[in-house]
Amino acid sequence: MERNAYFDNAKILLISLVVFGHLIQPFTSDSEGIGTLYTWIYTFHMPAFILLAGFFAKGSGNLSYILKLAKKLIIPYIIFQVMYTGYYFLIGKSNWLTDSIFYPHWSLWFLFSLFCWHLLLILYKKIPPRVGIGLALLIGILIGFFDSFGHTFSLSRTFVFFPYFLIGYWLSKEQMTFLKRKSVKIASVFIMLSIAVAIYYLPHINSGWLLASKSYSTLGLDVYGGFARLIIYATSSLMAASILAWIPQQRFSFTKLGERTLYVYLLHGFIVQYVREIEWLRVDNILDLFGIVVITVVIVIGLSSKFVVTIWQPLIEGSTTRLKAFFEKEEVDDKNMSA
């Protein structure tokens, strides 16, 4: 069956913003504009990505599904955790060694959390949607009061981001289609612009609030941190809906790349971390920023190319179907040439 172009378009946009955000992060403190753009992107790109992951988790729950998911997520997590540790050492990154394999490097937290979200669904799918989402939000807010929940096991992010996954799980295609209404799209423009202006003029927002990996005391808001997280939930939900409202539904030449976003997600860190370590990029003007946009596009297209997918499929998917197809084609070509 043909894949839905809307969702692949959404995935390719969101993964591109993940890469772009990681490239501009070192320059956020040097420029109000870059800082605003970075924060604006982070208000929605992971919540939207997680919501879509939940939307496609309809079959979650049975044992065989969980075992397949472990193969798809936990095994690549362990492989890339080891690979990134070695890579960080090679490029001279100071924090190359971590306490355990359960302290995720870079963006590997998503794999571990995604597996945990599917496990949580076994319980939450039995609870009425409104009650379950309310409970998930409450836990996501309360978790910030405890310093013991942080990067280890990706526990903080797992519980803080879970409401988006659960909302995505309960959304129907008809509800997703609602976002395409003209009135919703017009309202979404106002929302996106208003939040961008607010970010620019409000006092500096610690990115830790959007990364969801730190406690309220660490972020300097011990007492009222729960209210701040509630505001983040509301803002991110509005922003995610606003962005998804403008995702095109037609198929483009790049739409097929949406099938390979996991490759971009896992592999782009090797490029970004090296670029950061050698301080190769600079942003002094708008042209530099446009240059990073171009670099982002090159990275996304390159890492989702057939060549890269074929080479990395055994480690990421635990499959060699593409390699087998490649060598079988080579044999056929050789036979044809011999004939």
Side-chain angles (χ1 to χ4, degrees):
M1 293 179 65
E2 188 177 22
R3 292 171 61 103
N4 190 309
Y6 171 79
F7 294 108
D8 280 335
N9 288 336
K11 289 169 68 178
I12 200 66
L13 171 66
L14 293 171
I15 196 63
S16 297
L17 290 174
V18 168
V19 176
F20 180 72
H22 286 157
L23 286 172
I24 65 171
Q25 190 275 330
F27 315 108
T28 54
S29 58
D30 300 330
S31 165
E32 287 285 342
I34 298 294
T36 298
L37 179 60
Y38 176 83
T39 303
W40 185 81
I41 290 172
Y42 269 72
T43 60
F44 69 85
H45 79 323
M46 285 314 298
F49 221 125
I50 294 165
L51 185 143
L52 292 179
F55 183 80
F56 287 104
K58 308 301 186 189
S60 181
N62 59 67
L63 181 60
S64 62
Y65 185 92
I66 296 300
L67 291 175
K68 288 179 181 178
L69 205 65
K71 178 183 176 183
K72 182 179 178 181
L73 299 175
I74 299 302
I75 293 177
Y77 168 81
I78 295 172
I79 291 172
F80 278 85
Q81 182 75 353
V82 173
M83 289 181 67
Y84 269 109
T85 299
Y87 183 70
Y88 285 177
F89 172 75
L90 288 175
I91 65 175
K93 192 171 175 63
S94 58
N95 61 338
W96 66 274
L97 185 62
T98 55
D99 294 333
S100 78
I101 194 123
F102 298 109
Y103 191 101
H105 277 309
W106 187 238
S107 50
L108 297 181
W109 68 268
F110 182 73
L111 295 184
F112 200 90
S113 290
L114 183 56
F115 181 72
C116 292
W117 294 330
H118 280 272
L119 293 180
L120 287 170
L121 269 186
I122 298 174
L123 170 63
Y124 275 85
K125 69 192 299 186
K126 299 175 182 178
I127 304 174
R130 291 185 180 181
V131 177
I133 292 169
L135 179 61
L137 286 169
L138 179 61
I139 294 174
I141 291 170
L142 292 177
I143 209 81
F145 288 105
F146 301 92
D147 292 325
S148 54
F149 292 93
H151 285 283
T152 305
F153 288 101
S154 189
L155 281 177
S156 180
R157 282 168 166 159
T158 294
F159 287 108
V160 174
F161 284 129
F162 180 61
Y164 302 114
F165 187 84
L166 189 58
I167 290 170
Y169 174 78
W170 286 116
L171 281 177
S172 64
K173 287 185 178 180
E174 291 72 24
Q175 289 170 322
M176 292 291 288
T177 304
F178 175 79
L179 295 175
K180 307 307 293 183
R181 292 187 179 185
K182 186 176 180 181
S183 58
V184 175
K185 296 176 77 171
I186 293 172
S188 69
V189 173
F190 174 77
I191 290 169
M192 290 187 287
L193 290 176
S194 297
I195 290 176
V197 171
I199 292 171
Y200 185 82
Y201 285 103
L202 285 174
H204 174 70
I205 299 173
N206 189 320
S207 61
W209 288 103
L210 302 172
L211 298 175
S213 59
K214 298 178 180 178
S215 66
Y216 300 146
S217 61
T218 305
L219 294 168
L221 207 60
D222 306 51
V223 179
Y224 299 105
F227 292 104
R229 176 150 290 163
L230 191 59
I231 293 172
I232 295 293
Y233 273 138
T235 302
S236 294
S237 298
L238 286 171
M239 282 293 293
S242 298
I243 291 296
L244 291 174
W246 282 94
I247 299 296
Q249 295 176 289
Q250 59 267 44
R251 186 166 295 276
F252 301 99
S253 58
F254 59 79
T255 300
K256 62 182 178 181
L257 301 183
E259 303 175 26
R260 308 164 189 167
T261 51
L262 182 60
Y263 287 82
V264 181
Y265 193 84
L266 289 175
L267 298 173
H268 81 280
F270 293 112
I271 299 172
V272 174
Q273 289 291 359
Y274 180 72
V275 166
R276 285 186 183 181
E277 203 63 29
I278 65 173
E279 298 182 348
W280 181 58
L281 294 178
R282 292 180 59 184
V283 180
D284 296 322
N285 51 59
I286 192 67
L287 288 177
D288 290 339
L289 188 62
F290 178 74
I292 293 180
V293 171
V294 174
I295 292 170
T296 298
V297 172
V298 171
I299 291 174
V300 172
I301 293 175
L303 295 182
S304 53
S305 66
K306 288 183 179 180
F307 174 76
V308 170
V309 172
T310 300
I311 297 299
W312 285 91
Q313 189 192 33
L315 292 180
I316 293 178
E317 296 185 49
S319 172
T320 57
T321 55
R322 288 181 176 272
L323 279 173
K324 287 178 180 177
F326 173 78
F327 285 115
E328 285 173 3
K329 182 178 181 299
E330 287 292 306
E331 286 181 13
V332 171
D333 290 342
D334 288 342
K335 288 180 181 178
N336 289 337
M337 289 181 67
S338 301

